[in-house]
Each structure stands twice: as C-alpha cells, then as structure tokens.
Amino acid sequence: MPSALPILSRRRVLFGAAALALLGATASACGSTPPPELDDLTAQRDRALADSQLAKDAAAGARPQQAKALTVVADERSEHARALSEELIRMVGDDAPTTTTTSTTAAAAKPPTSDDVVDALKQSAESAAKLAAQLSGYRAGLLGSIAAACTAAHTVMLAPAGGTP
C-alpha cells in the first residue's frame, strides 16, 4: 500500500508561520497606545505658543529696547513650538495633536508686561527641565535646550538693568 502524500509541506508550514508573525505584528501596531510623553510634549508646545504670544503682546507696549528683546523671546518660543510640533509628528505621524488657539477679547484686561513674560519663562524653564530629566535621548535634549533658552531669556535678555533677576 503506497503512503499518502503529506497534507502539509514544510514550505507551507514555514510560510504560514511567517504570515502569522506578520499579522500579529501588524495587529499590535494598529492598537498601540501613544507614548506616555505625548501629553507632556503637547503641553510644552502649547506653553511655548502661549509664551510667544505673551511676549508679542508685551512688546507692543514696551520701550523700544525692551520691545526688541521681547520680540526675540517671542521668535525663540515660536521656534520651540515648531520643534516640539515636529517631534510630535515624528512620534505619532498624522495623528499628532493640533494646536488649539483660543483668543480672548477682554477689552478691560491690562496688557502684559515684561515681568509677566519673565514669570511665564521661569515656569516654562522649570517645567521643561523637570520633563527633560524624566525623558531620554533626543526628547530630553530638546527639552533641556528649551529650558536653557527660557532661563537665558529671563535672566539675561529680560533682566532689569543694573538689578538682579
């Protein structure tokens, strides 16, 4: 009596195993959760945008020399927001959170001063430094440089003449 041909060849078994492995990897990637630092980086980006707008608003009512410094701070914080946005897009692709700009039209609100910008920069520097210490690699370096730039801005560029910050 002749033996029956095997139902499964070695080639089919290997092909099936490879297909299952590929399917498993694809399924787990589709259902993956975003990295935990996504919310933290989004908050840093939003803070950078708010600081930039605050510095622009303060520059509008400042003396010419201080207005120049505030404009530089606004530009730097805009660049920080851009770099953070690029990192968010790199992390999650097209699903990166978008900025939500809210404009308030309070007629009686007093315009911000350079002291308000200094306070915001101090908070931003502290926040970025704390987050940089928790992260590693490029993100830690990015946040460390943002913290350093905010610190330099409020201690050097916006420091009162002849006084201590």
Side-chain angles (χ1 to χ4, degrees):
M1 169 171 228
S3 66
L5 293 173
I7 297 174
L8 292 174
S9 69
R10 209 176 307 159
R11 185 176 292 165
R12 280 192 175 179
V13 170
L14 290 174
F15 180 73
L20 280 174
L22 182 62
L23 180 63
T26 304
S28 67
C30 291
S32 65
T33 58
E37 63 266 12
L38 180 68
D39 291 337
D40 294 330
L41 291 177
T42 302
Q44 289 296 317
R45 185 213 41 219
D46 293 344
R47 181 181 286 274
L49 290 170
D51 289 352
S52 176
Q53 188 60 50
L54 184 68
K56 286 177 188 174
D57 293 345
R63 296 183 319 265
Q65 190 64 23
Q66 195 163 31
K68 287 180 186 177
L70 288 165
T71 302
V72 170
V73 169
D75 292 343
E76 283 181 359
R77 293 302 279 150
S78 290
E79 281 300 308
H80 295 161
R82 183 195 54 75
L84 288 163
S85 291
E86 288 176 0
E87 180 60 16
L88 288 167
I89 290 170
R90 191 185 71 74
M91 284 172 59
V92 294
D94 293 334
D95 295 333
T98 58
T99 56
T100 55
T101 56
T102 57
S103 62
T104 57
T105 56
K110 71 174 193 147
T113 65
S114 63
D115 289 339
D116 296 329
V117 176
V118 167
D119 291 340
L121 289 172
K122 285 179 182 178
Q123 291 174 0
S124 294
E126 182 179 324
S127 171
K130 283 182 182 176
L131 186 56
Q134 297 171 4
L135 299 177
S136 63
Y138 174 77
R139 293 178 193 135
L142 175 62
L143 288 165
S145 67
I146 288 173
C150 289
T151 300
H154 78 74
T155 57
V156 178
M157 291 180 20
L158 299 178
T164 58

